Every structure is written in C-alpha cells, then in structure tokens.
Amino acid sequence: MDRIACAFLPRFEPSRTQEVLLLLATLSPLLAHLDADGGGSFFLGLRGMAHVVSSEKSFLEQIHARLRERGFETRVAIADTAFVAWVVAQRAQGIVPPGTAAAKLLDAVTLDELQLSSPARSLLTKLGVKTAGAIARLPAGSLARRLGPEGVRLEKLCRGEALVAHPSTENLPPSIERVALDLDEPLSDLEPLLFLAKSLLDRLLPALARTRRALTELTIIARLDDHSLVDHMLTPESPTLEAAALMTLIRLWFERKPFGAAVASLELCASRTGVASARQLGLFLQREEKETAALEKVVARLGAAFGRERVVRAELGDTFLPEARLRWVPIQLANQSQRTHAAEALPILRKLPQPEQIRWRDGRLFRANAPGVQIIHVDGPLRFSGGWWSTPFNRSYFWLSLGDGALAWIFREEPSGPFFLEALAD
Amino acid sequence: MAALPEALDLGFAKSGQAGYYEQVFSIASPLHSAPPAPRRLLPSGFSRLDASGGFARGQLVEISGAASSGKSTLAFGACLQALAQGSSAAWIDSSGTFWPLPALEANVSLERLLVLRMLDSAAVLRSVQLILSCPGAVTALVVDVSPRLAIKDAQLVRLQRLAERSGTVLIFLTERPAQLPTLGAPIALRLHVRRLPGARFSEQSRLRIDVLRHKGGANQQSFEESVHGPNRLRVSSTL
C-alpha cells in the first residue's frame, strides 16, 4: 500500500495554496501524488520515496521544516490512507505505523469533521451513525445506495479507499500528461499503429489515475516519415480512464487513414482532463441517464469515425429568410433530456442542396428534363425582403399543390426573376 | 421463446414478434407453443397505423414512396414519439435534403434528434452499425436510402440483429415503387405511402398508406391518415 503524508496548516490562507503545492512538489519526484483539499490540508504520496529519504520520520521532519521556513505553521502526519493521515494531522503530528487498524482511530472522528451535506447528516443520524469508524463498519454499498455520489465518497473515505481526503482538484498545479515514442522503423499498417497507441495509452492513463483525473480530451500527435506533423483531438463521451473506450475512438480515427505517410513517432497527450463523474462509475443510473450515456457514446464514436461536423442537430436560426431559418449545430447533449410535446405528425421538408430553376407556364410546373405537372392550388406569394446590411434579398415564396400530390415550395427573386424550387414536403 | 434450430434461424426468430418461422413452429411442434414475449412498441403518431400496433422495437421497417409522398413525415412521426418518451432518435440523411423546419417552427425540441449528413453509401451503413451497437442510444433510427445505396440481405440480417439487441426501430426510406419487392427478407414491415392530390397547403393533406408486408400482421391493408400541411411554418402563417 502507498503511504500518504498529510500536512495540515491550521492558519491556512487559500491564496497561498499554489505556493504550498509548489513547495511540496520539490520534495517528491512524483508530482502526480500531490493534492490539496482547499481547506488547509495537503497530501503527498510516498511512492518511490524510499530511494530519496532514509525514513518516514526524516521525511516528515523535512516537510515540516520546509513549510516552517516559509512561515507556515503546520502539523504533518503519515499513514496508510489519506483520510487517516488527515485525521491525525488535524490533531497532532505523527506517524501511524503501517498496518495499524484504523477503525479505533476513526471512532474519534465525529460527523462534524466530515463536511457532510444536510441529507447525508440527517440519514446518518437516523441510522445512529455518529463517527467515521461507524461509517467504515456499515455494509459496503449501503450509503452509496441511499446517498448517491456522496455516499460513495464517504464509504471510500472511511474505508481508506480514497486517495485524498476531501479532494479539491482545482487546486492541482496545472500539468499535462503526455507520452511519446519514436520508432526505429516508421509504421503505416493499422494494427501495429493501434498496438503502439494502446501501449502509450497504458502509460498515460495510470499517470492520470494517480491524480484522480480522467481524460476528457486526447490529442494524438504523429510525426510522419516525410517530416510533416498530423495532430487530432478525440473527445470521449465522458471523462474516462477506460483504455477500451478510448481505443475504439482511436481505431475509428485511424480507419479514416489520416496519415499521408508512414508514422515515425507517436505522442498521446491528455490535453484536457476532468473529474470522473458518478455516472462514469456506473452508479445510480436511471433509464434516461443510461440512454444519454449511450447516446453520448454514439456521438463520440460517430465523431471519431466521420468527424464531429457530420453529427449535428437542427436549431432555429435568428433570421426571417426562410431558407436560413434552420441551421445545423454540433450535438450538445444535456444531462436531463428535454421531452417534446408533439403528439401529432409534423411534415418534413426536403430542401434541395441548391435551389433548382423551374418554369411556371400555363398552369403547369416544369422541372429540368421532366414533363410538366399540373398546378392545382397556389398559396402565396409571401414576400420577404431584408439583409440590406450584408446580403440583400427580395423574394416571393409560394406553396404549390401539384397534380401528382406533391407539395412544392418555390420562390422568385423579385421583381421579375426566374422561379426556383426550394423544397418539397415529404 | 425457445431457441429455433440454427439452420432455420434467418434472423426473424429473435425479432420478438411472430415471424414466419415462429408461426410454422407454433403449428408444427408443441415444444414451440409458448406464447411469444410481449412486443415493445413505438407509436408512429398516426392513429390508424398505431391501432395496428405501430412499430415494434427491434424491427426493420421500409417506408417507400415517391418524392413528396409523405414517407418522411411518417418516419418523422416515429422519431417525434421517441422524443416525446424522453428517448432519442437519429436520422441518417444520405441525400443532404432533410429539413425539419416545420417541427422547429412548432416549438418542438429536436435536441435529441441526432442528424448525420452522410452522402457516402459505405459511411451510411457504417454509421447505422455504430449507432445500433450502443444499446439504448436511440429508439428510432431512420435511414434515407438513396438509389445508389445497395444493401445486401446479409447486411440487413446483421442490422436486424443489432436493432433487436438495441431495441431500436430501424426505418429505411426508399423511393421504390410499390410493385418492386422490399429491400430484403429481414424487413418486417413495409409501408408504401402516397399523398392524395388536391389538398391546399393550408389544409390537412391525406396520405394513403398501403401495408405491403407485415410479418405477424395483416398484409395488403390500406388506410388513410391526415397530416398537417407545411403551413405550420411561422414565416408563412404570421407574416
């Protein structure tokens, strides 16, 4: 088990968080093990420190001394888990020997110290749970089922499964994880490239996991054999640490053959990261949330396979020009689905990619290379003009009912321009 | 339902509805006499069509008709019903002409209607496969089948199995005349639509819907449905 040091600053000033983090960063070779809770507690992992310091005691004294040099009053504790270290540091300075049963220690921690929401506090009080030790002794999952993400956090915290007590990731020093590999022989085949990407991903994701961050945007940078560079960003449906889900997106992109030459080096960069959500944990998903998650997955996959610009939704545009009233925008899924109220059928238009010039003569409509169709009814004209500040238009629109049942939407540039077929109702 | 022998399972058996082979087995063998599992249905929003069950989830549907026949309106009805249930729908637009402006003008939220503008035939099938391989992502998936898109029976069988697994109604829109056969054997329901002439745009127009194939239901039915004209366009009704 990795040991954790917690430095608690009783007279903590939030504005100096970054200063403390940077100071502690100089003490550890692994920046990924550094975090703060925003309330005066700083956490430092001891993984790999055996080669740097002679003992935990000397490391504790080193942290204490460095912080005092900067004028910080502090208490430092080292324990098996972040929470136990935090509990001890709140009270005194010291080292909890490895393997010490934490339950008795946690019995001294009251609910007041756990930063609980009022529903959580109310529930625990009803259950007769008064200490962190009592929470640790509850059956696994009992709080998670009742309290959702907060229950998960509490259980993990009190059982020592959380990496940091009361984490606050916004206090993390900004760092971008990246892994790269130069190849002896450039690669052009799909499978070896995927194998390479997987091996890089297997290095990148654990580095993120150590900081409890999940990947929200992956940038792939490839240097090609002809010295050109190709870069591309992939966005999973939610912050993720799952290699399989990311490999699906990478494969879909690679299958588009984005490289014009063999790949000489490949770099994966976690260009954006976020906190893994409760939804990602797969807990408490209601049907709609599950469907939203599935839809987000679809959007991510389609975006990777064909490009985000091909996956769109329709939105009303802010213009009077009928043909510009609808615009296509990238899909942005809300967590809560918005139900439509439509209970009746609504017509669909088929708008031609380009308006097609037509002729209207003797009560018949003539399209190119087609016999004329009788016009049964004409509705219109509806006159639109505007856009004088950019692209002026002055048009008359008509709806035509045709002898073959078709409904055609046509317009004419005024005062006497030709007619154009804009759309058909289908 | 008990599993059918593999050699006879052409993809209908798992469709959740009484297909041809299920009917044969229910008569031929008492071992297969258990009642079929209840079908999960998606309404179409058209009363007469819904009276006959609407669309069964996991089913492949072909809606054919000439340009401006009303076939897209019929398919869009299923999408609207899916959205009204809080689910999602997708429309693969292989012609680049899909234009749901009347729905937007009627204040219908289309936030969960995924539109894919795919002009390439291979990309169309690939995107259908990608959508269906995420179960529960969409309840209705409409595919605009352009004349240049040829779909083989084997591909349809695969898509049917994916649709069944994901509980999606997969609707193909074609311009095939009624005389031509359906897209392929796995199509469970084929409707042919035409708009009856004579309606003004400001009136409701009448769609005539012929049921050319209905596995497990009555074939060769015909009925008429009303559909609002495009007068719901705010630009034409208020200005």
Side-chain angles (χ1 to χ4, degrees):
Chain A
M1 181 182 289
D2 294 335
R3 302 271 287 167
I4 300 266
C6 175
F8 175 63
L9 282 59
R11 295 188 182 86
F12 170 67
E13 294 169 32
S15 59
R16 299 185 72 181
T17 300
Q18 203 70 7
E19 183 187 351
V20 177
L21 283 167
L22 292 171
L23 177 70
L24 293 175
T26 62
L27 296 172
S28 169
L30 294 173
L31 189 62
H33 289 179
L34 181 63
D35 206 348
D37 69 353
S41 297
F42 294 83
F43 299 86
L44 195 59
L46 269 64
R47 181 186 288 181
M49 295 300 289
H51 306 290
V52 182
V53 293
S54 56
S55 68
E56 287 185 350
K57 185 168 181 287
S58 67
F59 186 53
L60 183 148
E61 288 167 354
Q62 201 177 331
I63 297 172
H64 192 255
R66 294 291 288 275
L67 287 168
R68 282 198 66 147
E69 280 171 21
R70 294 285 184 94
F72 294 110
E73 183 187 335
T74 182
R75 289 195 294 269
V76 185
I78 295 176
D80 283 344
T81 69
F83 187 51
V84 172
W86 178 80
V87 167
V88 174
Q90 299 286 315
R91 292 161 172 75
Q93 180 155 296
I95 296 172
V96 181
T100 301
K104 202 168 182 181
L105 192 67
L106 297 184
D107 276 337
V109 181
T110 62
L111 298 186
D112 291 335
E113 297 180 65
L114 294 180
Q115 303 177 9
L116 297 174
S117 68
S118 55
R121 172 179 288 280
S122 161
L123 175 71
L124 289 170
T125 307
K126 281 179 194 162
L127 293 174
V129 174
K130 294 175 182 166
T131 65
I135 293 175
R137 286 189 289 273
L138 287 173
S142 53
L143 283 187
R145 277 194 295 278
R146 290 175 173 87
L147 291 173
E150 187 178 12
V152 175
R153 181 185 70 82
L154 271 177
E155 283 191 9
K156 284 193 158 189
L157 195 67
C158 297
R159 288 166 187 273
E161 294 163 5
L163 290 167
V164 168
H166 311 305
S168 171
T169 51
E170 58 268 22
N171 289 317
L172 278 170
S175 67
I176 292 179
E177 301 287 348
R178 57 180 73 225
V179 287
L181 191 67
D182 287 319
L183 299 166
D184 296 329
E185 289 290 327
L187 290 175
S188 53
D189 291 339
L190 176 66
E191 289 307 324
L193 276 172
L194 285 170
F195 183 78
L196 173 63
K198 177 72 167 61
S199 66
L200 291 175
L201 211 50
D202 287 345
R203 285 165 50 195
L204 181 71
L205 294 178
L208 284 176
R210 281 195 288 273
T211 59
R212 295 156 311 286
R213 284 180 293 164
L215 197 144
T216 54
E217 185 184 82
L218 175 71
T219 301
I220 304 174
I221 303 162
R223 187 169 54 78
L224 306 184
D225 206 18
D226 60 4
H227 302 293
S228 61
L229 274 178
V230 174
D231 61 23
H232 186 69
M233 282 177 292
L234 293 173
T235 312
E237 68 272 18
S238 60
T240 186
L241 290 167
E242 284 180 44
L246 291 165
M247 280 309 296
T248 304
L249 301 183
I250 293 173
R251 174 183 279 277
L252 289 166
W253 183 58
F254 279 9
E255 283 175 350
R256 290 167 65 188
K257 298 184 172 58
F259 307 123
V263 176
S265 80
L266 195 65
E267 179 179 347
L268 300 188
C269 170
S271 40
R272 276 176 49 212
T273 57
V275 183
S277 64
R279 191 179 59 200
Q280 196 202 345
L281 298 173
L283 299 171
F284 320 116
L285 291 186
Q286 300 301 314
R287 178 186 69 87
E288 290 183 12
E289 285 179 324
K290 278 183 182 171
E291 287 181 358
T292 301
L295 191 62
E296 284 172 346
K297 189 176 280 186
V298 162
V299 171
R301 287 183 177 184
L302 291 168
F306 305 110
R308 282 268 175 179
E309 70 284 356
R310 307 276 286 276
V311 189
V312 292
R313 66 179 173 86
E315 187 181 85
L316 266 186
D318 187 19
T319 172
F320 286 107
L321 185 63
E323 67 178 31
R325 285 284 287 165
L326 185 152
R327 63 181 183 193
W328 299 107
V329 296
I331 284 277
Q332 292 288 340
L333 293 170
N335 284 335
Q336 293 297 317
S337 63
Q338 191 178 349
R339 296 186 182 211
T340 70
H341 57 271
E344 56 190 341
L346 290 164
I348 281 295
L349 299 182
R350 293 294 190 166
K351 183 172 172 293
L352 276 56
Q354 294 294 329
E356 176 189 322
Q357 190 169 343
I358 53 170
R359 284 181 298 133
W360 179 351
R361 200 179 60 203
D362 302 332
R364 298 178 80 83
L365 182 141
F366 295 86
R367 294 180 69 174
N369 304 320
V373 186
Q374 188 188 356
I375 298 171
I376 297 178
H377 294 294
V378 179
D379 288 279
L382 290 159
R383 189 79 171 264
F384 294 92
S385 62
W388 50 266
W389 54 91
S390 57
T391 313
F393 61 87
N394 182 10
R395 288 181 181 172
S396 294
Y397 282 84
F398 301 83
W399 275 107
L400 306 182
S401 261
L402 303 179
D404 58 2
L407 291 173
W409 193 25
I410 69 169
F411 70 85
R412 175 166 78 172
E413 297 286 359
E414 295 295 352
S416 56
F419 284 99
F420 288 92
L421 178 62
E422 177 87 288
L424 291 165
D426 185 24
Chain B
M1 189 195 76
L4 296 179
E6 192 63 29
L8 289 174
D9 178 6
L10 298 186
F12 308 145
K14 295 174 187 168
S15 66
Q17 60 161 336
Y20 172 73
Y21 286 95
E22 286 166 277
Q23 289 177 30
V24 169
F25 268 80
S26 67
I27 296 165
S29 164
L31 292 175
H32 292 81
S33 58
R39 293 189 296 172
R40 290 192 298 156
L41 299 172
L42 176 68
S44 65
F46 290 86
S47 54
R48 307 248 346 238
L49 185 57
D50 289 340
S52 65
F55 301 121
R57 307 263 305 255
Q59 194 178 54
L60 264 55
V61 178
E62 179 184 353
I63 304 178
S64 58
S68 194
S69 59
K71 61 183 182 303
S72 303
T73 299
L74 193 59
F76 191 59
C79 294
L80 289 178
Q81 294 301 315
L83 298 180
Q85 291 177 1
S87 299
S88 306
W91 192 292
I92 300 177
D93 179 18
S94 65
S95 57
T97 59
F98 178 62
W99 198 251
L101 183 58
L104 290 174
E105 295 283 8
N107 290 324
V108 174
S109 168
L110 299 183
E111 283 185 8
R112 294 176 73 92
L113 176 69
L114 199 70
V115 178
L116 284 103
R117 316 199 82 190
M118 301 286 177
L119 302 180
D120 171 39
S121 303
V124 170
L125 286 177
R126 179 80 173 119
S127 48
V128 174
Q129 190 193 1
L130 284 173
I131 292 171
L132 293 181
S133 26
C134 289
V138 299
T139 302
L141 170 57
V142 181
V143 185
D144 234 344
V145 181
S146 64
R148 65 181 181 282
L149 175 63
I151 309 177
K152 295 173 186 159
D153 253 13
Q155 290 170 318
L156 282 176
V157 169
R158 265 202 300 277
L159 294 181
Q160 194 269 331
R161 289 193 173 146
L162 284 173
E164 161 127 16
R165 206 174 303 151
S166 65
T168 303
V169 180
L170 177 53
I171 301 173
F172 294 99
L173 294 182
T174 68
E175 293 199 358
R176 299 159 79 86
Q179 301 81 356
L180 284 184
T182 58
L183 269 181
I187 299 288
L189 175 67
R190 184 188 175 186
L191 306 173
H192 187 78
V193 186
R194 61 197 163 95
R195 195 188 303 271
L196 300 178
R200 296 173 69 92
F201 90 96
S202 54
E203 300 167 346
Q204 288 193 331
S205 55
R206 306 284 298 166
L207 302 185
R208 185 174 178 83
I209 301 171
D210 298 320
V211 183
L212 300 183
R213 174 190 280 191
H214 193 185
K215 288 178 184 167
N219 289 338
Q220 307 304 330
Q221 275 187 325
S222 288
F223 44 88
E224 289 184 14
E225 296 278 9
S226 299
V227 60
H228 286 285
N231 61 322
R232 285 176 163 264
L233 290 173
R234 187 175 298 154
V235 289
S236 56
S237 60
T238 60
L239 292 178

